[in-house]
Amino acid sequence: RKEVEQDPGPFNVPEGATVAFNCTYSNSASQSFFWYRQDCRKEPKLLMSVYSSGNEDGRFTAQLNRASQYISLLIRDSKLSDSATYLCVVNFNNAGNMLTFGGGTRLMVKP
Amino acid sequence: NAGVTQTPKFRILKIGQSMTLQCAQDMNHNYMYWYRQDPGMGLKLIYYSVGAGITDKGEVPNGYNVSRSTTEDFPLRLELAAPSQTSVYFCASSYYGHYEQYFGPGTRLTVT
């Protein structure tokens, strides 16, 4: 089983739609969770951290379910500019307690 | 702050040549990382460093070497380039291992 697992997509949605991605992780002791965004041929950039109580940033909402070991990202009112790959990122208690990146979910928002 | 900078942006190497990819950060981060990303694939960790003078292997270290003589700089050395090393290389840094990472713009390397 991969340590951080995501549906690679692509998710094709019309502008204005609501879309949700899930990500599962294998280490129940993980303590840090993030969503990153990566545009085509660009570096990954932090979209938002994911807190235990859930958090919202404008049209984006992130949720953490520790019992089931998954995190989710909800995007409301999708814009063309939301088209990108979304990376789920989790820390693991390996050497250095470092972050592990999922393979990403590709989102394409169509006019 | 410039954040994380990488040079060069692009490079074409012939098989068997060597080169150094430069990475620098001005955020006083302890941790630095090198990843490679093949087309349509996820990030793979090559090497990382938890502080000056300390480096360790990641998932795919073969064919690469690193050094960390200062907090700011973390160069990646490719010896005897092979076509399998054609990829985009990203450098990143973070304050601690479980903190968010900040990425440089990447170096696109082609080995022919």
Side-chain angles (χ1 to χ4, degrees):
Chain A
R1 180 187 173 187
K2 289 182 184 175
E3 293 179 309
V4 180
E5 201 143 8
Q6 297 183 251
D7 182 339
F11 284 57
N12 294 296
V13 302
E15 265 187 299
T18 295
V19 62
F21 311 133
N22 279 344
C23 160
T24 57
Y25 60 94
S26 61
N27 187 334
S28 61
S30 297
Q31 58 187 136
S32 301
F33 308 89
F34 307 94
W35 283 102
Y36 275 67
R37 170 191 170 129
Q38 186 174 24
D39 293 304
C40 188
R41 300 175 69 81
K42 297 285 191 181
E43 73 271 26
K45 292 186 177 177
L46 179 67
L47 178 66
M48 58 198 302
S49 302
V50 185
Y51 304 120
S52 296
S53 54
N55 47 302
E56 189 173 307
D57 183 2
R59 298 182 293 108
F60 298 83
T61 300
Q63 296 280 355
L64 168 63
N65 185 318
R66 284 190 184 272
S68 301
Q69 293 180 215
Y70 77 83
I71 67 175
S72 63
L73 178 67
L74 181 78
I75 306 175
R76 289 181 299 278
D77 188 23
S78 299
K79 313 289 185 193
L80 295 177
S81 57
D82 293 334
S83 297
T85 297
Y86 292 83
L87 307 175
C88 171
V89 186
V90 180
N91 85 299
F92 287 96
N93 290 333
N94 53 7
N97 194 21
M98 295 189 306
L99 301 182
T100 297
F101 287 74
T105 296
R106 190 168 172 214
L107 171 66
M108 298 181 68
V109 182
K110 309 277 188 175
Chain B
N1 283 354
V4 181
T5 57
Q6 292 184 239
T7 56
K9 285 189 168 54
F10 305 93
R11 183 71 185 268
I12 298 174
L13 280 182
K14 294 190 185 305
I15 294 171
Q17 287 185 320
S18 300
M19 75 165 295
T20 299
L21 282 65
Q22 301 292 344
C23 174
Q25 54 93 7
D26 62 359
M27 296 175 282
N28 203 30
H29 282 169
N30 298 303
Y31 284 61
M32 295 187 75
Y33 315 83
W34 275 105
Y35 295 91
R36 61 176 285 174
Q37 187 174 37
D38 298 331
M41 305 296 285
L43 296 167
K44 291 186 178 179
L45 183 65
I46 304 171
Y47 271 96
Y48 68 97
S49 168
V50 303
I54 307 169
T55 62
D56 210 342
K57 295 177 181 177
E59 183 186 359
V60 289
N62 291 344
Y64 307 94
N65 274 303
V66 294
S67 59
R68 182 108 180 261
S69 56
T70 67
T71 300
E72 294 78 19
D73 299 298
F74 191 40
L76 177 72
R77 177 84 178 158
L78 277 73
E79 305 282 1
L80 297 174
S84 60
Q85 293 179 304
T86 294
S87 192
V88 180
Y89 291 84
F90 290 108
C91 179
S93 72
S94 66
Y95 199 56
Y96 288 119
H98 60 288
Y99 280 40
E100 61 267 28
Q101 293 180 15
Y102 296 86
F103 285 79
T107 294
R108 298 183 188 286
L109 176 68
T110 302
V111 182
T112 61

